[in-house]
Amino acid sequence: MKVIRNYLYNAGYQILLMIAPLVTTPYVSRALGAHASGINTYTNGLVTVFYLVGQMGIGLYGNREVAYHRDDKRERSRIFWGIESLQLCTISISLVAYLVAVFLFSTTFREYYLLQTLWIVACGIDVSWYFMGMEDFKKTVVRNTIVKLIMIVLIFTLVKTEADLWKYILLIGVAQLSGNLTLWPYLKSNIQWVSPKEWHPLRHFYPSLLLFIPTITTQIYLVVNKLMLGKIGQPTALGQFDYADRLVKLVLAIVTATGTVMLPHIANKFAKGDLKGVRESLYNSFDFVTAMAVPMMFGLMAISEKFAPWFLGNGYQDAGKIIFFEAPAIVFIAWSNVTGDQYLMPIDRVKEYTVSVSIGAVVNVIANILLIPFYSANGAALATVIAEFSVMAVQMNFVRSTIRRRQLFRSSWRYFLGGLIMFLVVNRICDVMTMNIVNMAIQIFVGTVIYVVCLFILKAPVIEQAKAVLGKEAK
């Protein structure tokens, strides 16, 4: 099945994204220290805003449009050239604006801001949205894997002390740029040349802008807690929060890999008028992500207190509590990924999606203002959870007229019960064990076995889904 293969490709890459930090993060956190790590997070937060403004909603829009016209090579070629020319224009404007802002307002961290510029340039040549729209995930996964492995080797080779922060930022930026460049040769066999007179890039501006609003709003409440923590708190607290947040989001990436795969798949079904297929895909996807997200949440919470200082270093004891408080966001983000990215976006209900993430951004800012002064990085973690819950709740309200919410949640109790039992056992084991790689592997293995056994006993639907998929693949 094509969807399964694409999910395995994407999930496999997300696992690589998890393994890479598992290899590099303990080294980088010790080499750079919490202060330098905080500077990197702070400067990258600003460039993120600018490259997202430059990219607008072009990535999501291009993905969806290519999926709509996948079977017409000339039309999708015309769409590609039009969208990419628009992307180059908007990114160029964003780059100029960013450089003006850096030279006018930045003094202390100017060199780091300038190194972060590579992220904006990389966005201008990013055509991964085309291959995602074609449901061709193999190419993006392979090229990202190669680039990621090279980057890991260079980080260990070149980054040694806090003074090497500039090297670390440069390596990450060059890797992003190189990865995007490697996709261009594959376009030769996928698209054909179309006269620039037929590109009509401005035709894509307004629909991209509509998708830009939820995209930038989502990033606001993902980045604003770091920016506010950097302003209200201290760089050290920001460094603690940044690494804790990365670990939570890396675990989450395996679950949200379904969203990247399902968006073009559902968009193509919607374009063909297969509404029943759209709903069935949604129900199955929701059950699957719940089955994945719940044990990841409970697993992180069970080992966070000992895991963080062992993994990141002795200076990161506070990161364990941050991980514990932020872990529930995994479930809320997984659910909103299904209702938002996998349903509202591909069927062109962008307005509702925009409203939901806008409410989440407002809630996040308010929660940060109220919590950071009193609880510092722990407050930022709680604000993240509150914001993600609000997004999920609003989207659930929007889909009530077309999706049976009771059917979405009817088996969730099985996953939460199995996850809770797993948490109690693993947390107890973690308390009596010294944290090291062998003991952590034992805890993960025990937790996995307990959770899977619980799912079998409770007759969770995901077990039947897995059997059906394995049966089809065997045939």
Side-chain angles (χ1 to χ4, degrees):
M1 296 174 66
K2 190 174 184 180
V3 173
I4 296 172
R5 287 197 304 271
N6 284 333
Y7 172 73
L8 291 175
Y9 276 126
N10 206 28
Y13 177 63
Q14 298 304 330
I15 291 173
L16 172 67
L17 289 182
M18 284 186 62
I19 293 174
L22 289 176
V23 174
T24 60
T25 297
Y27 175 78
V28 172
S29 63
R30 289 169 173 81
L32 296 182
H35 182 79
S37 297
I39 294 173
N40 174 52
T41 303
Y42 187 67
T43 55
N44 186 258
L46 181 65
V47 79
T48 297
V49 173
F50 274 86
Y51 79 63
L52 285 171
V53 171
Q55 196 179 41
M56 298 199 307
I58 289 172
L60 282 172
Y61 172 73
N63 183 342
R64 193 182 68 186
E65 289 300 299
V66 170
Y68 283 163
H69 303 282
R70 186 185 306 158
D71 300 326
D72 186 340
K73 185 175 182 179
R74 177 170 178 78
E75 180 62 17
R76 74 171 188 257
S77 298
R78 189 179 64 80
I79 288 171
F80 169 80
W81 291 113
I83 292 176
E84 178 56 24
S85 60
L86 174 65
Q87 180 173 262
L88 288 172
C89 290
T90 56
I91 282 292
S92 297
I93 294 171
S94 180
L95 176 60
V96 172
Y98 176 77
L99 291 174
V100 169
V102 168
F103 282 106
L104 287 181
F105 304 110
S106 172
T107 54
T108 308
F109 302 137
R110 180 176 293 174
E111 63 178 302
Y112 302 120
Y113 280 121
L114 292 176
L115 289 171
Q116 300 281 11
T117 302
L118 288 172
W119 283 86
I120 302 179
V121 178
C123 280
I125 59 171
D126 182 16
V127 293
S128 60
W129 48 267
Y130 173 83
F131 294 97
M132 290 178 184
M134 294 294 293
E135 294 192 72
D136 185 358
F137 287 84
K138 182 178 180 180
K139 291 182 176 63
T140 56
V141 168
V142 170
R143 61 96 179 178
N144 275 312
T145 298
I146 295 172
V147 170
K148 183 67 67 176
L149 292 174
I150 294 173
M151 184 190 70
I152 291 173
V153 173
L154 290 176
I155 286 175
F156 279 109
T157 304
L158 300 176
V159 179
K160 302 293 184 181
T161 67
E162 184 175 340
D164 293 327
L165 174 60
W166 71 272
K167 296 179 183 178
Y168 180 71
I169 296 175
L170 180 63
L171 282 174
I172 301 297
V174 169
Q176 192 72 16
L177 181 63
S178 302
N180 290 345
L181 278 172
T182 57
L183 273 181
W184 278 81
Y186 293 111
L187 289 171
K188 185 176 181 180
S189 60
N190 275 269
I191 62 172
Q192 62 189 57
W193 175 254
V194 177
S195 171
K197 295 179 180 179
E198 299 181 47
W199 292 0
H200 304 299
L202 294 181
R203 168 194 165 194
H204 303 290
F205 180 81
Y206 181 69
S208 295
L209 183 62
L210 291 179
L211 287 176
F212 163 72
I213 297 172
T215 300
I216 191 64
T217 305
T218 300
Q219 290 300 319
I220 285 174
Y221 72 77
L222 292 177
V223 174
V224 72
N225 44 16
K226 296 179 183 179
L227 293 176
M228 293 180 70
L229 187 58
K231 283 292 184 181
I232 300 173
Q234 297 294 326
T236 301
L238 178 57
Q240 298 269 1
F241 175 80
D242 180 48
Y243 279 117
D245 183 65
R246 286 191 204 181
L247 290 171
V248 173
K249 297 298 169 57
L250 284 171
V251 172
L252 175 68
I254 295 179
V255 182
T256 55
T258 59
T260 308
V261 172
M262 292 300 291
L263 189 153
H265 180 72
I266 291 180
N268 190 252
K269 281 190 174 183
F270 179 70
K272 294 177 179 178
D274 185 9
L275 300 183
K276 182 180 179 181
V278 169
R279 284 192 289 269
E280 286 302 316
S281 296
L282 186 73
Y283 293 137
N284 291 333
S285 182
F286 192 89
D287 190 77
F288 175 77
V289 299
T290 304
M292 294 284 287
V294 169
M296 290 180 180
M297 173 190 73
F298 280 122
L300 268 182
M301 295 174 73
I303 68 172
S304 60
E305 186 176 352
K306 286 190 174 181
F307 173 74
W310 167 75
F311 182 66
L312 298 171
N314 292 329
Y316 291 87
Q317 287 86 353
D318 293 339
K321 290 184 178 179
I322 300 171
I323 292 172
F324 185 90
F325 288 128
E326 191 177 344
I330 292 174
V331 174
F332 300 139
I333 294 174
W335 285 344
S336 62
N337 180 265
V338 176
T339 55
D341 294 53
Q342 298 183 37
Y343 184 67
L344 295 176
M345 292 287 279
I347 69 169
D348 204 20
R349 291 174 61 178
V350 180
K351 181 179 179 181
E352 290 96 327
Y353 185 86
T354 301
V355 170
S356 69
V357 296
S358 297
I359 290 174
V362 173
V363 169
N364 191 41
V365 171
I366 294 173
N368 273 297
I369 291 173
L370 295 175
L371 295 174
I372 288 178
F374 298 101
Y375 304 106
S376 189
N378 290 336
L382 290 172
T384 299
V385 175
I386 294 170
E388 297 297 351
F389 174 80
S390 67
V391 173
M392 182 274 300
V394 172
Q395 289 183 0
M396 287 296 172
N397 181 62
F398 283 140
V399 303
R400 72 187 188 282
S401 61
T402 52
I403 299 297
R404 294 191 296 273
R405 291 176 294 178
R406 183 174 297 180
Q407 184 168 342
L408 289 176
F409 289 103
R410 68 179 180 180
S411 297
S412 296
W413 68 271
R414 293 179 169 88
Y415 305 118
F416 277 97
L417 179 57
L420 180 60
I421 293 171
M422 180 198 73
F423 168 81
L424 295 173
V425 175
V426 174
N427 185 245
R428 178 58 182 163
I429 294 174
C430 186
D431 285 340
V432 300
M433 277 185 166
T434 301
M435 182 59 72
N436 56 49
I437 187 67
V438 175
N439 288 343
M440 186 180 70
I442 291 172
Q443 293 164 27
I444 293 173
F445 176 76
V446 171
T448 302
V449 171
I450 291 173
Y451 182 69
V452 172
V453 169
C454 287
L455 295 190
F456 272 100
I457 294 173
L458 296 170
K459 297 180 179 179
V462 73
I463 299 298
E464 296 304 316
Q465 286 188 40
K467 289 180 180 178
V469 168
L470 291 174
K472 289 180 180 179
E473 289 295 309
K475 293 177 182 179

